[in-house]
Amino acid sequence: MNRDADIRKVLEAVTDPEIPVISIEELGILREIVQEENSIIIFISPTYSGCPAMDIIAFDIKKAMAEKGYQNVEVKYQLSPAWTTDDISDVGREKLKNYGIAPPEKLMPNENGLFQNEKNPSCPRCNSENTKLISLFGSTPCKSLHQCLDCQEPFDRFKCH
Ligand SMILES: [Zn+2]
């Protein structure tokens, strides 16, 4: 196994501190691994500016790397291109749903190249689209709180852009 693949394998175990079932790779925030002579720089992109989870993720990356013998690891933020919910992989979306969080809709541009408005998130329990927004801020600032009007299930939705 080459070093880059080995590092990726180490990073597969690093998960989002808010959603421990999804890895930073599946979340799409792992951007680039740069190996220099005496150090390794890992670029991640914040899910939204000031997200407190980013510091924890940076810490977890260094810890996971150190456990596998990688020293001198630097974590840098890559702000451009900005992370959007479109960066979440299909596997990641499935995991979010199984975890009880409505995955963000993938936005597709229409024929004019414009993005359609997001529709109501569907309930992760019964798939009903008959849901309403309860609060813009759910259990963490990254999530909004919704409720299903059919089965009454309250659920979080990942809303960071
Ligand atoms: Zn429901």
Side-chain angles (χ1 to χ4, degrees):
M1 198 188 302
N2 70 37
R3 211 157 167 241
D4 191 71
D6 189 53
I7 292 169
R8 282 194 179 271
K9 209 165 167 9
V10 173
L11 296 177
E12 268 172 29
V14 179
T15 57
D16 184 315
E18 295 179 349
I19 313 160
V21 293
I22 189 169
S23 74
I24 56 171
E25 169 97 63
E26 289 156 350
L27 198 54
I29 63 173
L30 178 60
R31 284 284 166 81
E32 222 183 317
I33 299 164
V34 177
Q35 298 183 49
E36 303 205 319
E37 209 175 318
N38 295 311
S39 64
I40 298 165
I41 305 167
I42 293 164
F43 287 92
I44 57 175
S45 87
T47 47
Y48 76 101
S49 59
C51 188
M54 298 312 289
D55 289 341
I56 302 171
I57 292 171
F59 177 83
D60 286 348
I61 287 174
K62 287 184 190 172
K63 188 164 157 262
M65 292 289 284
E67 277 166 8
K68 296 287 176 192
Y70 288 106
Q71 304 297 332
N72 298 321
V73 174
E74 244 184 288
V75 178
K76 288 188 177 169
Y77 297 140
Q78 193 178 78
L79 301 173
S80 172
W83 179 89
T84 73
T85 50
D86 283 357
D87 294 330
I88 302 175
S89 73
D90 289 338
V91 174
R93 274 162 212 279
E94 201 52 41
K95 285 189 174 180
L96 283 178
K97 193 178 168 193
N98 292 338
Y99 192 62
I101 296 174
E105 298 295 328
K106 266 196 170 166
L107 294 180
M108 298 294 287
N110 64 19
E111 64 273 20
N112 298 318
L114 300 170
F115 291 96
Q116 66 208 21
N117 285 326
E118 284 184 287
K119 51 179 187 172
N120 259 352
S122 48
C123 171
R125 185 161 139 194
C126 70
N127 282 322
S128 163
E129 284 182 19
N130 187 18
T131 62
K132 70 169 179 185
L133 176 72
I134 304 281
S135 164
L136 264 178
F137 297 97
S139 55
T140 75
C142 278
K143 291 174 224 155
S144 50
L145 182 64
H146 301 257
Q147 187 174 21
C148 175
L149 297 175
D150 286 334
C151 75
Q152 307 303 319
E153 172 89 347
F155 62 93
D156 275 341
R157 179 176 192 233
F158 203 60
K159 67 160 187 213
C160 288
H161 278 263

